[in-house]
Amino acid sequence: MVTPLTGVSDQQKLMLSMASGSQAAFGLIYDQLCVPTFAICNHYLKSPAAADEAMCGLWLYVWQNAAMLSRRDGSPWSIIIETAERHAKYHAQTERLARGTDISVSG
C-alpha cells in the first residue's frame, strides 16, 4: 500500500526531483495520483479505451512539463488533479467533435 504524501513540501520535493528527470520521483507521484486521475478521465470519457488514452497523454504531459508545473502556485497534487480535469475535458470535447464529424460525413 502506498502511503499518501500529504505535506506540500514533500510533494514539491518530488515534483522538483521529477523535473530534474527522476523516474523514481515520477513513479511515486504516479502511484499517489493514478487512481484519482483515472477516475477523472473515466468520468469525462465514455469508453475505457478513451480513458486509457487520456491517462497516457496526461502522464506524458506531466512528465514533460514537470518543471513548469512545479513553478505553479498551489500544491503539486492539486495542480496535477486540475491538469487531469482539463486534459479529460479536452479529450471528451475532441471525441464529441469527431463523432459529430463522422455523422455529418456519412449522413
Side-chain angles (χ1 to χ4, degrees):
M1 178 169 177
V2 176
T3 304
L5 294 172
T6 54
V8 172
S9 64
D10 289 339
Q11 294 173 12
Q12 288 169 332
K13 287 176 189 172
L14 273 177
M15 281 294 287
L16 291 171
S17 185
M18 180 173 63
S20 296
S22 170
Q23 292 177 6
F26 175 85
L28 289 170
I29 293 169
Y30 180 83
D31 287 347
Q32 295 283 310
L33 297 176
C34 66
V35 170
T37 56
F38 182 77
I40 290 166
C41 290
N42 200 43
H43 173 76
Y44 285 101
L45 296 152
K46 300 304 176 200
S47 73
D52 286 344
E53 184 178 327
M55 279 289 285
C56 289
L58 166 68
W59 285 101
L60 179 60
Y61 177 85
V62 168
W63 172 254
Q64 291 176 336
N65 295 282
M68 180 270 300
L69 293 172
S70 67
R71 290 189 298 271
R72 290 188 51 201
D73 290 335
S75 81
W77 277 205
S78 66
I79 291 165
I80 293 172
I81 295 294
E82 290 168 10
T83 301
E85 188 152 10
R86 280 193 312 277
H87 192 77
K89 285 179 181 179
Y90 172 80
H91 274 271
Q93 181 181 19
T94 302
E95 209 175 54
R96 283 192 301 276
L97 290 172
R99 281 194 306 269
T101 302
D102 289 344
I103 291 169
S104 66
V105 169
S106 64

